[in-house]
Amino acid sequence: MTVFPVAANLNAARKPDTPRVRTEDEATTLAGGPVFLTVEELPEVFETPEAAEAAVPELYGSGRYELLWREGWRVVMRYWRPAPPAPVARTGEAASKKPLGHARTPEDARALLGAPAELAQEVLPKLYVDHKRLMQKWGDLVRSGLGEIVEREGKFALCITFWRPMHAPGVAAPLAPAERSELAERVAAPLRGPAPQADLDIGLFENPAPENPNVVLVTEEGDGRFRGSE
């Protein structure tokens, strides 16, 4: 398995004393937060592959570099780059729509959640027919390294990285302060539906009584009855 540097930028990644790790988990631990494997092009353009190898001795064999042609020979490098602060939430959907905040480290996430936090990945349910439409909605998240495009059912979805409460299986994590405040506001607010209450269905030979709309009159046969009596 290839060993990649962990660095904030290309210049730091190329330094010989930059820490190098094999896995994303190791890179996450070293960086203290989420990372992503980035591919970045060196600024130099080389006339021949030999010139590129002379400038980059680890070009072949290390797995960190790749030589390509684009109006000259160019070299790209792969390294682990710390991602920006990740959203903090209980679920992926909440992280994408209304996170409690953003955190770079487990300690920062714990302060928002009021409980130990862990990095998690979750695929959002919305499917897109192609990459272009997904990127129109989530482009910034994908480019930051906190979002990844995955294939589902012949279409594409977003897999989001976020901080969530870490707790024992079968035991609900305590509510964060912001969640407790929101819950208290909902409890105190009057119960209202998302839309006005629609009139109940009235049969073909039924009409509401003019003097009392809660009474339904049967025009052909039967007696008037109160709504909800059945």
Side-chain angles (χ1 to χ4, degrees):
M1 184 180 294
T2 304
V3 178
F4 297 106
V6 181
N9 54 58
L10 180 63
N11 289 334
R14 297 183 66 183
K15 293 181 179 179
D17 57 346
T18 298
R20 298 174 181 179
V21 298
R22 296 181 184 276
T23 67
E24 183 177 355
D25 288 342
E26 293 174 320
T28 297
T29 300
L30 186 62
V35 299
F36 65 104
L37 190 61
T38 186
V39 179
E40 192 167 347
E41 189 175 287
L42 274 60
E44 301 92 343
V45 180
F46 304 98
E47 294 184 0
T48 63
E50 293 74 19
E53 186 177 6
V56 186
E58 295 179 306
L59 178 59
Y60 302 112
S62 69
R64 290 187 291 275
Y65 296 94
E66 183 179 350
L67 183 66
L68 54 85
W69 171 265
R70 193 179 72 254
E71 299 179 357
W73 292 102
R74 301 172 184 270
V75 176
V76 295
M77 182 182 187
R78 294 176 175 84
Y79 64 97
W80 297 110
R81 175 188 286 178
V88 180
R90 292 179 177 273
T91 66
E93 282 201 82
S96 67
K97 296 177 181 178
K98 191 178 180 182
L100 296 171
H102 292 76
R104 172 93 207 117
T105 67
E107 292 74 22
D108 294 340
R110 179 170 186 162
L112 289 169
L113 288 167
E118 64 179 351
L119 272 178
Q121 290 185 318
E122 188 173 316
V123 178
L124 302 184
K126 174 69 174 181
L127 298 178
Y128 299 85
V129 295
D130 53 37
H131 281 212
K132 182 178 179 181
R133 295 193 182 184
L134 188 149
M135 290 295 289
Q136 288 175 346
K137 176 71 174 180
W138 304 110
D140 290 343
L141 203 62
V142 173
R143 285 186 288 269
S144 75
L146 294 173
E148 180 184 359
I149 300 175
V150 296
E151 187 173 352
R152 290 290 187 275
E153 303 173 13
K155 296 183 180 181
F156 301 94
L158 179 77
C159 179
I160 186 172
T161 297
F162 65 102
W163 294 104
R164 70 180 178 191
M166 181 170 50
H167 52 87
V171 178
L175 293 176
E179 292 174 312
R180 287 197 296 269
S181 298
E182 182 177 353
L183 180 60
E185 291 176 359
R186 291 186 179 183
V187 170
L191 294 177
R192 293 178 181 174
Q197 176 66 49
D199 291 335
L200 299 178
D201 290 339
I202 297 178
L204 179 62
F205 300 106
E206 298 175 340
N207 291 291
E211 67 280 3
N212 187 347
N214 289 321
V215 174
V216 176
L217 301 178
V218 181
T219 57
E220 288 292 318
E221 59 183 27
D223 300 322
R225 65 185 187 275
F226 286 95
R227 294 184 179 179
S229 62
E230 295 182 350

